[in-house]
Amino acid sequence: MSWRGTLGPGWRLLLALLLALGELPQARGVEEDPVVEHDKNQGFHVVTFKWHHVQDPYIITLWILVASVAKIGFHLSHKVTSVVPESALLIVLGLVLGGIVWAADHIASFTLTPTVFFFYLLPPIVLDAGYFMPNRLFFSNLGTILLYAVIGTVWNAATTGLSLYGVFLSGLMGNLEIGLLDFLLFGSLIAAVDPVAVLAVFEEVHVNEVLFIIVFGESLLNDAVTVVLYNVFESFVNLGGDKVTGVDCLKGIVSFFVVSLGGTLVGVLYAFLLSFVTRFTKHVRTIEPGFVFVISYLSYLTSEMLSLSAILAITFCGICCQKYVKANISEQSSTTVRYTMKMLASGAETIIFMFLGISAVDPQIWRWNTAFVLLTLVFISVYRAIGVVLQTWILNRYRMVQLEIIDQVVMSYGGLRGAVAFALVVLLDEDKVKEKKLFVSTTIIVIYFTVIFQGLTIKPLVQWLKVKRSEHREPKLNEKLHGRAFDHILSAIEDISGQIGHNYLRDKWSNFDRRFLSKILMRRSAQKSRDRILNVFHELNLKDAISYVAEGERRGSLAFIRSPSTDNVVNVDFSTPRPSTVEASVSYLLRENVSAVCLDMQSLEQRRRSIRDTEDMVTHHTLQQYLYKPRQEYKHLYSRHELTPEEDEKQDKEIFHRTMRKRLESFKSTKLGINQNKKAAKLYKRERAQKRRNSSIPNGKLPMESPIHNFTIKEKDLELSDPEETPNYDAEEMSGGIEFLANVTRDTATDSPSGIDNPVFSPDEDPSILSRVPPWQSPGETVVPSQRARVQIPQSPGNFHRLAPFRLSNKSVDSFLMAEGPKEQPHTTLPESTHM
Amino acid sequence: MGAAHSASEEVRELVGKTGFSSDQIEQLHRRFKQLSGDQPTIRKENFNNVPDLELNPIRSKIVRAFFDNRNLRKGPSGLADEISFEDFLTIMAYFRPIDIAMDEEQVQLCRKEKLRFLFHMYDSDSDGRITLEEYRNVVEELLSGNPHIEKESARSIADGAMMEAASVCVGQMEPDQVYEGITFDDFLKIWQGIDIETKMHVRFLNMETMALCH
């Protein structure tokens, strides 16, 4: 076992790392003695069971798995999740699991510890919130948010604490070892609205964005207040009530500004660092997304180290960096960041709520005092409502968009408390705060009440009050343009009238940003494309491109995408067997074969293309490549460092330009008064004509392949006869079709066995297709050429056959069936008959 | 002291006309004098004195709007050479926030007025239609702040927007139908669902703010 010794340090390091994480589920119950095993080391064991070795990471992973699986379970029933918020479900699940664990070994082995919560679970959630913060909305409501976050939280803390103290003095709570400062301490930790709980509940409610940003922004920014109040009162409690002087109070107020502004500053600085770093990650695309997480996490830890507000730091890091980072990193990295962030955040959220449930199952932490618990619940609800009404009354005198009564109700009701309060209360020192257990129990009850009861009822409440919901609208170009014009007009009016308002400041900031910040923090290439209007335009174009291609797929050809002005183009058969169009479900081996054969096909195509307008080739290529990118990525290339090359950008640009032109053209045509549909129909006709014309081109270009000619003639002859009446003919035609293909692709003689083995058909042997229409069920129909084939391309059966089987081989099988109706079924079974 | 009396009379009249409070009017009057250099009227050149305006990409359009007879309610087209303080207030009144006390109808009216101002800015030849050319012109100016966007992109964006407008306003076009440009009704349609009345406003303060004028 000497290898273990050598590996030891490394492992220990890793274990130490995981142990830090492992405080979360410390499995104290499953203690084993590792020394015994070491001593008993007799000879070599083929298999050894080393539970203690993997215990901590194993348990952590298991818990994550349980939480994730639970989430799947919840979403199996749409009915449940639409009524009950997920957070409430998770808490209940946690209670059940905690009960099970408790029943198993009577020790509360797993609890949510403050370390784990503050270091590992909270940062991803807050970073996610900051990084995806709608900046403009946030900053235009910043005043309101700050008022609620600062004054509101102080108000809540003070009134709750003092009122509880008042009731305590009246003797209603019985005998408790609590002083005024303890009550204030408790008030300060229970006062803050929790970002995690608010996010979890409000994300499902979909209130209008202003209301959301106010509640959510408050929950994020009140952290500084909570931290300061908590620290101040905790130190006061530690000092003892008599020794607190006025200077200490003053220090507390000063520390509020230091903590909040310092935290913000740390966040902003790290945001600039992050933006600056991502400017140079062009050649390390694979680790690009990592920077976002690492640096923003560093901002969190740094401010924690300096005892500043860590939540504010990471929030502002996310808010400030998002613009530059999104512009700097590649599309793929951006997607990766987005998904990773969402995954981490929602994973952390899941775990938090589940452990909030589990942590409650521990008789040792419970101490019940009915009056205290109930009064706390009453006070936090009542004082929040009063606070909101008072502040809104002040705010409405200054706000343009008034906060109405309904909004105020939702805001008061949305004051959910959550894991932050729990983690803070667990942090209390029991020697100093004698009634810690009571505080903990009350906090748990408060959290459960707000998250479960208010979370459950807020949705019906919002519906009942008819709160303005958020509406998801498609990005409209006109809207964006007018919006932009508006910004400029408003700031100009402010300039002219000599006012300094929002618009003035925003305008100044965006000028500053454009002139200096963006130049430093953004890649040169990104500076170009960062304009929002361009983005919207780009988006719309892409959507258009996709719908064009979808249309093309439906019709079986991309040809109609081409601009009507270019007449010399040849149809682009969508059904051409390219590796990119092979359906993903086909096994890899088959795909390999296909692409191998396709090479020939492509070269063939290339020859045809040489006469083509190159531009159109580009269109086709870019459109197809772009749209089928996911399928193309099944390349046998592995590299840890290289990801998709720059081509995508080129493609994007190309698509952008193409569709732009396309839009232009169709605009012209609208101007000319051509109906879109009519135009399409016209195009379609032209396309068909083109096909007809072109069908002769490949054959003519390849004189070596005389069998084709023969075959085409033969086909034509057959076509003239009535195929529906002759079942035997089917097989003949089928093999003929195969032979034709074989000829085209391999230049082999017309021989059916070779045709059958032709790998081109391999994808058609897809069992799913086989099962769909078993040949024995409809032998007569199997070979009837489709109505369309006969009607539309009568002169070129060869062409038709070249198309048909390949169509089967690509994804469009289903769409074909849908588009063409049951008449197309024979095609689906076409490969089937090759087996016969 | 007769002059003072008549001045307050004038102010009262302006309050009734424009809806500004007398404090605001006084404030704006001070600004007006600053801009005009103590003259009774403002000419286009006076706006060059506002340094912050220089960076505004659509500066010329905005300044023009101040002299537009349509906005001044003085005629269906054309530009005024100079505007008086009352005209100045008339323009500024387009940007007054909506009163909370207003009923639905008044809000709609106010909204229409605001949009009309915007429409006039786009429709530079006063023919009641924003043609493609005019639209392109505006978009080009709008995007001129970004040196990286070529003119061509700006044009195609305008084209795209125009197409979008056509599809919003006319829907499926008949064959041989021509979409000549955005009329005011179409313009209203485009803006449907966007609460412009909360967007298009400037907070006019009663107190004196920094004077940013050379």
Side-chain angles (χ1 to χ4, degrees):
Chain A
M1 296 282 266
S2 64
W3 59 272
R4 281 196 65 183
T6 52
L7 269 176
W11 272 115
R12 230 164 283 147
L13 205 81
L14 194 75
L15 265 178
L17 212 103
L18 288 166
L19 264 174
L21 244 165
E23 282 188 44
L24 162 71
Q26 245 169 18
R28 278 177 255 147
V30 224
E31 292 272 321
E32 275 169 50
D33 199 356
V35 188
V36 181
E37 206 197 318
H38 275 286
D39 290 344
K40 277 192 196 164
N41 195 3
Q42 302 160 337
F44 178 76
H45 294 276
V46 178
V47 177
T48 48
F49 184 73
K50 295 177 284 187
W51 165 244
H52 66 276
H53 183 64
V54 293
Q55 179 182 327
D56 292 314
Y58 205 94
I59 288 173
I60 294 167
T61 318
L62 270 186
W63 274 121
I64 294 173
L65 180 69
V66 167
S68 313
V69 170
K71 229 173 168 171
I72 299 176
F74 297 151
H75 284 278
L76 283 181
S77 161
H78 184 70
K79 251 186 194 159
V80 173
T81 43
S82 65
V83 176
V84 188
E86 214 176 75
S87 43
L89 284 173
L90 281 166
I91 286 184
V92 174
L93 174 81
L95 283 173
V96 173
L97 288 177
I100 294 170
V101 171
W102 176 257
D105 54 31
H106 288 277
I107 301 168
S109 337
F110 312 98
T111 52
L112 187 66
T113 63
T115 328
V116 171
F117 174 72
F118 282 121
F119 280 169
Y120 306 104
L121 295 177
L122 190 57
I125 298 174
V126 183
L127 176 64
D128 175 69
Y131 191 75
F132 296 105
M133 178 74 73
N135 273 349
R136 193 171 166 159
L137 200 61
F138 178 75
F139 283 110
S140 57
N141 289 297
L142 189 61
T144 312
I145 293 170
L146 278 179
L147 185 77
Y148 283 121
V150 178
I151 308 292
T153 309
V154 172
W155 159 268
N156 281 350
T159 50
T160 309
L162 289 175
S163 304
L164 284 173
Y165 182 64
V167 176
F168 167 70
L169 286 184
S170 76
L172 207 68
M173 290 176 197
N175 247 353
L176 293 173
E177 283 182 77
I178 317 185
L180 172 63
L181 284 175
D182 300 70
F183 274 113
L184 285 175
L185 177 59
F186 179 70
S188 71
L189 66 86
I190 206 79
V193 176
D194 184 75
V196 183
V198 166
L199 252 189
V201 169
F202 271 71
E203 263 187 351
E204 296 176 27
V205 179
H206 306 297
V207 294
N208 65 69
E209 43 189 13
V210 175
L211 193 53
F212 175 75
I213 204 78
I214 290 175
V215 177
F216 178 53
E218 177 201 340
S219 71
L220 274 178
L221 299 193
N222 66 15
D223 172 68
V225 183
T226 313
V227 167
V228 171
L229 284 179
Y230 179 82
N231 286 341
V232 165
F233 287 123
E234 201 193 16
S235 62
F236 284 1
V237 168
N238 289 348
L239 263 168
D242 341 315
K243 289 163 197 153
V244 177
T245 59
V247 179
D248 288 323
C249 294
L250 204 72
K251 272 186 192 162
I253 294 171
V254 172
S255 92
F256 163 71
F257 287 102
V258 173
V259 164
S260 54
L261 296 180
T264 310
L265 188 72
V266 167
V268 172
L269 285 179
Y270 272 94
F272 286 145
L273 176 70
L274 171 56
S275 311
F276 195 64
V277 167
T278 52
R279 207 186 149 171
F280 304 101
T281 49
K282 198 173 178 182
H283 301 293
V284 284
R285 281 275 146 93
T286 36
I287 58 164
E288 206 171 48
F291 286 112
V292 178
F293 297 97
V294 171
I295 294 182
S296 41
Y297 190 46
L298 267 184
S299 77
Y300 186 87
L301 294 178
T302 308
S303 62
E304 190 76 45
M305 179 177 74
L306 301 171
S307 71
L308 304 171
S309 167
I311 292 186
L312 277 184
I314 198 166
T315 305
F316 276 94
C317 183
I319 287 176
C320 296
C321 79
Q322 52 167 273
K323 180 180 172 186
Y324 309 107
V325 167
K326 278 173 189 165
N328 279 341
I329 61 180
S330 69
E331 194 110 336
Q332 285 91 347
S333 304
S334 171
T335 312
T336 312
V337 168
R338 197 165 66 232
Y339 276 93
T340 315
M341 217 172 259
K342 289 287 173 207
M343 186 192 79
L344 289 177
S346 88
E349 190 188 283
T350 310
I351 292 169
I352 285 173
F353 282 115
M354 197 174 74
F355 273 91
L356 271 180
I358 293 175
S359 308
V361 188
D362 182 3
Q364 286 179 359
I365 61 166
W366 284 96
R367 181 154 187 271
W368 192 259
N369 185 324
T370 315
F372 187 79
V373 171
L374 283 183
L375 283 173
T376 309
L377 276 179
V378 171
F379 286 146
I380 61 159
S381 317
V382 169
Y383 285 124
R384 173 151 178 100
I386 294 174
V388 165
V389 170
L390 283 180
Q391 290 172 81
T392 314
W393 181 73
I394 298 169
L395 279 171
N396 270 348
R397 304 175 62 164
Y398 299 99
R399 276 183 71 88
M400 245 49 260
V401 188
Q402 299 285 309
L403 293 168
E404 285 156 31
I405 305 280
I406 293 173
D407 298 329
Q408 294 174 34
V409 171
V410 175
M411 275 162 63
S412 331
Y413 206 70
L416 306 173
R417 313 305 205 265
V420 173
F422 178 75
L424 286 176
V425 83
V426 170
L427 267 180
L428 290 178
D429 185 357
E430 198 160 5
D431 296 334
K432 298 279 164 47
V433 184
K434 298 287 189 300
E435 297 290 348
K436 179 187 169 184
K437 277 182 188 166
L438 178 60
F439 287 172
V440 171
S441 335
T442 312
T443 309
I444 290 176
I445 295 292
V446 167
I447 292 171
Y448 284 9
F449 177 79
T450 53
V451 170
I452 297 179
F453 179 72
Q454 296 188 347
L456 259 175
T457 46
I458 197 163
K459 218 171 187 177
L461 183 80
V462 163
Q463 272 160 0
W464 183 65
L465 289 174
K466 297 199 180 64
V467 177
K468 224 159 119 196
R469 300 299 194 91
S470 70
E471 41 190 308
H472 182 74
R473 30 165 80 251
E474 301 277 298
K476 283 241 179 75
L477 206 51
N478 276 306
E479 230 166 86
K480 285 277 165 200
L481 284 172
H482 293 323
R484 175 68 65 90
F486 243 48
D487 288 352
H488 289 307
I489 294 171
L490 291 183
S491 65
I493 294 296
E494 285 194 354
D495 288 340
I496 290 169
S497 66
Q499 316 270 345
I500 298 181
H502 279 183
N503 300 301
Y504 176 85
L505 292 175
R506 188 177 52 229
D507 195 47
K508 290 288 145 313
W509 167 256
S510 70
N511 279 335
F512 171 71
D513 173 65
R514 197 175 56 230
R515 281 169 148 195
F516 304 106
L517 283 183
S518 292
K519 287 218 171 105
I520 302 169
L521 300 177
M522 260 193 215
R523 270 180 209 163
R524 205 151 292 137
S525 59
Q527 286 171 27
K528 260 186 232 176
S529 54
R530 107 215 127 90
D531 202 295
R532 287 282 283 284
I533 289 179
L534 270 184
N535 286 348
V536 173
F537 187 55
H538 196 150
E539 232 167 79
L540 288 172
N541 271 322
L542 271 184
K543 217 185 277 169
D544 273 11
I546 287 167
S547 64
Y548 277 135
V549 172
E551 182 81 347
E553 196 171 36
R554 202 167 61 72
R555 297 198 181 176
S557 167
L558 265 184
F560 85 112
I561 288 175
R562 277 174 286 103
S563 56
S565 54
T566 39
D567 233 0
N568 57 336
V569 276
V570 185
N571 77 77
V572 183
D573 299 326
F574 199 69
S575 40
T576 330
R578 318 176 113 263
S580 54
T581 51
V582 174
E583 200 188 354
S585 66
V586 183
S587 78
Y588 184 67
L589 190 76
L590 294 182
R591 198 176 298 121
E592 272 278 275
N593 283 339
V594 173
S595 54
V597 178
C598 284
L599 282 180
D600 285 347
M601 202 58 194
Q602 273 175 328
S603 68
L604 234 166
E605 216 188 356
Q606 219 97 77
R607 260 177 278 178
R608 262 195 290 152
R609 268 198 190 139
S610 58
I611 54 162
R612 236 183 249 178
D613 182 4
T614 39
E615 251 197 357
D616 282 279
M617 215 167 76
V618 172
T619 332
H620 165 59
H621 254 297
T622 47
L623 278 173
Q624 207 181 26
Q625 276 178 348
Y626 182 81
L627 288 161
Y628 287 86
K629 212 161 40 180
R631 292 183 212 165
Q632 260 191 336
E633 275 167 14
Y634 285 95
K635 271 179 191 159
H636 230 7
L637 283 168
Y638 177 76
S639 160
R640 182 172 294 228
H641 305 291
E642 294 298 322
L643 271 177
T644 351
E646 302 291 291
E647 270 171 44
D648 290 323
E649 278 172 30
K650 260 188 247 161
Q651 285 175 8
D652 280 0
K653 226 183 251 168
E654 193 57 39
I655 293 174
F656 177 72
H657 284 303
R658 295 297 312 182
T659 8
M660 230 157 58
R661 226 164 284 168
K662 173 73 201 159
R663 272 169 163 254
L664 232 160
E665 238 125 44
S666 47
F667 177 71
K668 273 183 201 149
S669 62
T670 23
K671 258 192 131 181
L672 289 168
I674 297 174
N675 184 322
Q676 289 285 350
N677 278 347
K678 219 175 159 187
K679 196 181 75 193
K682 237 181 177 173
L683 256 174
Y684 196 35
K685 260 187 219 157
R686 191 182 292 148
E687 164 209 326
R688 271 193 276 139
Q690 213 87 58
K691 257 190 196 162
R692 242 171 275 148
R693 235 177 294 154
N694 294 326
S695 64
S696 61
I697 294 174
N699 295 345
K701 280 259 161 186
L702 306 165
M704 299 300 288
E705 296 168 2
S706 51
I708 294 178
H709 283 298
N710 300 341
F711 184 69
T712 329
I713 295 157
K714 183 179 153 202
E715 277 265 290
K716 266 182 195 163
D717 293 341
L718 285 172
E719 194 81 2
L720 291 174
S721 68
D722 191 359
E724 271 154 294
E725 307 270 34
T726 53
N728 270 348
Y729 155 81
D730 303 341
E732 218 181 324
E733 201 208 6
M734 279 333 298
S735 62
I738 296 148
E739 282 160 2
F740 170 74
L741 270 161
N743 288 329
V744 172
T745 53
R746 281 187 178 179
D747 284 13
T748 51
T750 41
D751 195 22
S752 51
S754 75
I756 289 164
D757 289 336
N758 190 327
V760 175
F761 283 95
S762 314
D764 295 336
E765 290 167 5
D766 187 341
S768 68
I769 297 177
L770 295 189
S771 59
R772 211 174 289 150
V773 186
W776 53 85
Q777 280 188 354
S778 53
E781 288 164 19
T782 16
V783 266
V784 184
S786 83
Q787 200 71 37
R788 181 173 164 244
R790 274 178 288 146
V791 173
Q792 292 184 348
I793 331 173
Q795 291 105 319
S796 59
N799 195 352
F800 159 63
H801 272 285
R802 200 181 71 247
L803 299 178
F806 287 124
R807 274 185 187 160
L808 299 171
S809 68
N810 63 38
K811 200 197 167 214
S812 55
V813 170
D814 284 332
S815 59
F816 253 99
L817 290 178
M818 280 188 279
E820 310 260 273
K823 276 174 193 154
E824 275 295 306
Q825 274 197 3
H827 293 306
T828 342
T829 51
L830 219 127
E832 191 48 45
S833 25
T834 63
H835 283 286
M836 299 195 298
Chain B
M1 294 318 266
H5 177 73
S6 72
S8 69
E9 193 91 316
E10 231 170 77
V11 166
R12 215 170 300 146
E13 202 178 302
L14 286 176
V15 167
K17 258 187 196 166
T18 59
F20 282 113
S21 74
S22 51
D23 284 346
Q24 286 168 332
I25 288 179
E26 229 165 86
Q27 169 73 19
L28 284 171
H29 188 62
R30 225 168 294 152
R31 182 67 180 173
F32 180 80
K33 277 207 274 187
Q34 226 174 19
L35 286 174
S36 65
D38 269 340
Q39 297 300 306
T41 56
I42 287 187
R43 309 182 69 83
K44 260 188 186 169
E45 302 83 68
N46 293 115
F47 282 100
N48 295 339
N49 294 341
V50 185
D52 295 312
L53 217 51
E54 261 164 45
L55 286 171
N56 206 318
I58 52 171
R59 181 183 66 242
S60 64
K61 287 248 178 310
I62 294 166
V63 172
R64 205 185 130 96
F66 271 82
F67 297 90
D68 197 319
N69 276 336
R70 289 171 295 173
N71 293 335
L72 297 169
R73 304 196 180 93
K74 281 183 177 164
S77 65
L79 290 176
D81 288 331
E82 46 184 24
I83 53 169
S84 65
F85 179 57
E86 196 183 328
D87 298 331
F88 185 70
L89 279 186
T90 312
I91 299 295
M92 283 296 174
Y94 283 105
F95 295 92
R96 253 168 18 89
I98 283 181
D99 226 324
I100 311 159
M102 275 190 194
D103 59 22
E104 194 56 33
E105 207 172 307
Q106 279 171 308
V107 168
Q108 281 306 319
L109 211 70
C110 184
R111 178 190 162 88
K112 228 175 178 172
E113 278 304 304
K114 281 171 189 281
L115 281 177
R116 205 178 282 280
F117 181 86
L118 202 64
F119 183 75
H120 289 161
M121 225 175 83
Y122 286 111
D123 179 23
S124 48
D125 64 357
S126 325
D127 66 347
R129 255 180 226 285
I130 303 170
T131 57
L132 183 61
E133 270 315 309
E134 284 165 343
Y135 209 155
R136 276 182 181 172
N137 202 335
V138 174
V139 173
E140 263 170 40
E141 270 185 41
L142 259 183
L143 298 178
S144 64
N146 187 342
H148 301 289
I149 297 180
E150 307 98 4
K151 266 210 160 139
E152 202 196 323
S153 321
R155 304 193 86 165
S156 46
I157 287 176
D159 295 342
M162 198 69 174
M163 267 177 66
E164 195 187 83
S167 70
V168 167
C169 304
V170 187
Q172 199 63 31
M173 303 263 281
E174 297 289 313
D176 311 323
Q177 191 179 344
V178 179
Y179 192 67
E180 282 167 352
I182 306 171
T183 62
F184 185 62
D185 285 336
D186 293 347
F187 199 65
L188 287 179
K189 249 185 231 171
I190 294 170
W191 278 93
Q192 229 159 36
I194 311 165
D195 50 344
I196 180 172
E197 58 271 19
T198 57
K199 271 186 187 157
M200 185 167 161
H201 67 253
V202 172
R203 185 168 302 150
F204 293 100
L205 300 172
N206 299 323
M207 318 149 269
E208 179 144 20
T209 44
M210 255 203 279
L212 287 147
C213 185
H214 297 315

